[in-house]
Amino acid sequence: MSRWSQYDTDEERLPEGMQRIGYDADTQTYTFHDVDGSIWESAPGNQYGQLHRISPAAPHHGDDATEPPPPYDDDDAANEPATSWRHDMNPLLSWFLLVGLFLLFIFWFIGGTTTKRVSPTACRDRDSPYKIRSGDSCWAIAEEHSVALETLLQHNQGLDCDKLAVGGTVCIPGV
């Protein structure tokens, strides 16, 4: 069923003598001109419906009914309180804040395990400290210092060879 109706024209919808004179696409309001010269405006988004007067009737300067209406005054803008850009952008700013916090949490969760600081280990008198570099393994450290792997692990209780932290310290047994 179509939406067309026989009452969709200005002649059927508007009061006698009322004429549509304009449309503001920014505010979505229609402007109408009355027989007495007053200018009326529709509610935003409504072509028809309740109208409110935005300028009074023009004074008659003769019998000429084709005189132009008085200048258009934007009285509504003077009556409305000014809003800041923050008020207009508040939903968008809230959305960006939530997305930013979510991303910050994700990066913290993913990168949190790799940024742990390793405190230096205190070695015994005969042992010498060795600072772990990138690419080191327990076997490579033991081979580099001519020490058996079992001896290296005995002198470093709790050392996990699968998770050597770069910058950490391993005690190399003295001969």
Side-chain angles (χ1 to χ4, degrees), residues 23-46:
Y23 174 71
D24 184 3
D26 293 332
T27 61
Q28 297 180 352
T29 56
Y30 288 89
T31 308
F32 301 94
H33 183 265
D34 201 355
V35 175
D36 65 354
S38 60
I39 297 179
W40 297 74
E41 195 172 72
S42 68
N46 293 331

Side-chain angles (χ1 to χ4, degrees), residues 81-156:
T83 58
S84 70
W85 66 271
R86 289 185 186 141
H87 177 74
D88 295 336
M89 300 301 279
N90 197 18
L92 190 62
L93 291 174
S94 298
W95 185 82
F96 277 121
L97 179 67
L98 287 174
V99 169
L101 287 175
F102 176 75
L103 290 175
L104 187 65
F105 173 75
I106 293 295
F107 289 135
W108 172 78
F109 184 74
I110 291 172
T113 58
T114 60
T115 59
K116 291 181 180 174
R117 291 275 182 196
V118 178
S119 59
T121 305
C123 296
R124 294 184 230 162
D125 291 338
R126 301 182 105 202
D127 297 345
S128 60
Y130 173 78
K131 188 173 182 180
I132 300 172
R133 298 181 302 244
S134 178
D136 278 346
S137 66
C138 290
W139 183 82
I141 294 170
E143 281 293 314
E144 182 180 338
H145 295 285
S146 304
V147 177
L149 182 59
E150 293 79 21
T151 310
L152 180 69
L153 292 174
Q154 286 174 354
H155 283 264
N156 295 283

Side-chain angles (χ1 to χ4, degrees), residues 59-65 67:
H60 288 11
H61 297 292
D63 292 349
D64 188 16
E67 288 185 27

